[in-house]
Amino acid sequence: MSEELTPETPETAETEPIKQRKNGLYPGISDELAENMKSGWADTELHGLEPIAQASQTANRRAALSARFPGERLVVAAGNLKTRSNDTEYAFRPSTEYAYLTGDRTQDGVLVLEPTEHGHEATVYLLPRSDRGNGEFWLNGQGELWVGRRHSLKEAEQLLGVPAKDVRELPAALTEATGPVRNVRGHDAGIESALTDKVTAERDEELRVFLSEARLVKDDFEVAELQKACDATARGFEDVVRVLDKAEATSERYIEGTFFLRARVDGNDIGYGSICAAGPHATTLHWVRNDGAVRSGELLLLDAGVETNELYTADVTRTLPINGTFSPLQRKIYDAVYEAQEAGIAAVKPGAAFRDFHDAAQRVLAEKLVEWGLLGDLSVEKVLELGLQRRWTLHGTGHMLGMDVHDCAAARTDSYVNGTLEAGVCLTVEPGLYFQADDLTVPEEYRGIGVRIEDDILVTEDGNRNLSASLPRRADEVEAWMAGLKG
């Protein structure tokens, strides 16, 4: 990895001496080189750009936001780069709220809705093209010569359908602004500092909650993106099955790397840290170390999702026999989870309570645990009343899904977990049974077996649609699918 010449910022590039890296190889920049770098560059401005695919949807979302908070200035930031180590940064991913309202995915962007007599006027504040006159484009670590071309403000206006201005001018403007302001916190410290005496935590939280609840029902663009994410995820699972022999020769990391390749080829990234849990690791709900052995005869619990280029993610889990065939006990436990998932999916429909699918799946699992003699002589009703099945079921049966893998997390409880399903809601249904390796309350042969089956379910006008249905779920279908992929 090369090193940039100076860490100077655009604001200071014209007035301060060039700052050299402490251990840089060049002692300085001659006046002749600085002058030479100012000229001889072609005009690369792009003209006649078409709006992004979701421009009409983002406009509708901003209109709904404007109607909810009339007369107030609304500020939503994309966020800044985060340092990974020293002078390297994590790959940038904008805040969900900003991307939802603009469709833009660039760092440091800020959407501002200025109140007007008839609603709001939206402006997106962005970093403009790197300045070639002051050398910022080749001297600054975030200059275009180092990290690549970014859109000009005029180009951004054409793409996003929103007036664009230089974000470096925004903090001063916000400092001088008057009137009520709301801000989505936690993404841009500079913007928050400029607004520190103009906002309150309570009012800002109301804005965050509104934007979270606005995503509960997906529009057509979002549904298409979620289907795209599920389709890519299915291809990623197929990729993994094809290389299970290589994973056996190495570790769970081969599975993680294989799925990541699919995520980067077919989308933007993985939507969350992939859980590639083989053997007893499958009993750890969020096993993301992925450094364990992959052994024939054991199960692989793969929980992974591709995030599309528009930042919508799938969230799918399959539990697979590493050698391609379930043992009788593995199949008994798998079939119980499958039956529970079937009951849960059947309960997903418009007008149903959000909790219904969870309750349906938990009842099936409680029945199986009682049937297997793991809960003494207690009745299923008593087990559910006391929640005793949770020793082995552990987690809730699903959650909202969208731009965040646990989407709409800031929504009010009455709107989410105590709410009612309607067409356009997308959620996961993911029951599981997990028998820890050190659980002395179950027969020894159960210990170290973990099974989860998870699909992404869209509520429709007349029921539901399984967006991840292209991946088999029934045990015999899973075995046949694996056999076909392994040739």
Side-chain angles (χ1 to χ4, degrees), residues 44-52 98 103-107 124-131 136 142 144 147-160 162 164-168:
T44 60
E45 181 74 12
L46 303 176
H47 304 279
L49 297 176
E50 293 294 323
I52 59 174
Y98 175 84
D104 180 52
R105 300 187 297 278
T106 57
Q107 69 202 52
V124 62
Y125 289 83
L126 305 166
L127 283 173
R129 294 289 309 280
S130 292
D131 192 330
E136 180 253 337
Q142 292 301 313
E144 292 183 15
V147 298
R149 185 187 190 278
R150 52 183 178 250
H151 286 296
S152 71
L153 298 181
K154 288 184 178 179
E155 291 169 354
E157 288 182 352
Q158 296 174 65
L159 292 167
L160 304 178
V162 183
K165 294 183 179 180
D166 190 335
V167 70
R168 295 171 295 187

Side-chain angles (χ1 to χ4, degrees), residues 257-435:
T258 298
F259 188 84
F260 178 71
L261 175 61
R262 175 61 63 180
R264 287 292 284 161
V265 169
D266 282 7
N268 175 61
D269 205 334
I270 50 175
Y272 54 95
S274 298
I275 299 168
C276 307
H281 289 162
T283 66
T284 300
L285 296 184
H286 287 170
W287 176 261
V288 293
R289 298 180 204 171
N290 298 336
D291 58 0
V294 179
R295 292 178 285 259
S296 179
E298 296 185 332
L299 298 176
L300 166 67
L301 190 157
L302 178 57
D303 183 336
V306 172
E307 177 187 74
T308 70
N309 289 321
E310 303 300 334
L311 309 184
Y312 288 82
T313 187
D315 181 7
V316 177
T317 305
R318 289 293 183 270
T319 304
L320 310 173
I322 292 167
N323 64 9
T325 304
F326 291 101
S327 73
L329 178 59
Q330 289 169 351
R331 185 158 187 162
K332 181 177 85 166
I333 296 170
Y334 185 93
D335 286 347
V337 175
Y338 172 78
E339 187 177 329
Q341 195 201 27
E342 284 284 275
I345 292 174
V348 176
K349 53 190 173 183
F354 178 86
R355 291 179 178 272
D356 285 354
F357 76 94
H358 168 72
D359 293 341
Q362 289 292 297
R363 174 169 290 277
V364 171
L365 295 178
E367 290 170 351
K368 296 298 181 182
L369 293 166
V370 169
E371 176 186 323
W372 298 341
L374 301 184
L375 287 160
D377 58 359
L378 292 175
S379 68
V380 171
E381 295 302 330
K382 194 63 176 178
V383 168
L384 290 170
E385 176 190 340
L386 299 175
L388 296 180
Q389 83 284 357
R390 292 180 61 186
R391 181 182 179 99
W392 302 291
T393 67
L394 296 179
H395 55 79
T397 309
H399 52 80
M400 295 294 183
L401 183 69
M403 297 185 79
D404 291 329
V405 66
H406 296 134
D407 207 28
C408 314
R412 293 167 297 177
T413 300
D414 286 346
S415 300
Y416 189 157
V417 72
N418 290 338
T420 301
L421 299 179
E422 58 181 295
V425 168
C426 187
L427 51 83
T428 66
V429 178
E430 50 176 309
L433 283 174
Y434 312 92
F435 299 104

Side-chain angles (χ1 to χ4, degrees), residues 1-8 19-29 86-89 137-143 145-147:
M1 181 178 181
S2 302
E3 57 177 1
E4 68 268 23
L5 300 180
T6 142
E8 70 187 55
K19 300 174 184 177
Q20 298 298 309
R21 183 188 292 272
K22 180 179 180 181
N23 289 303
L25 293 174
Y26 289 103
I29 297 171
N86 189 22
D87 58 352
T88 63
E89 294 87 17
F137 88 101
W138 72 288
L139 295 175
N140 184 274
Q142 292 301 313
L145 186 145
W146 290 96
V147 298

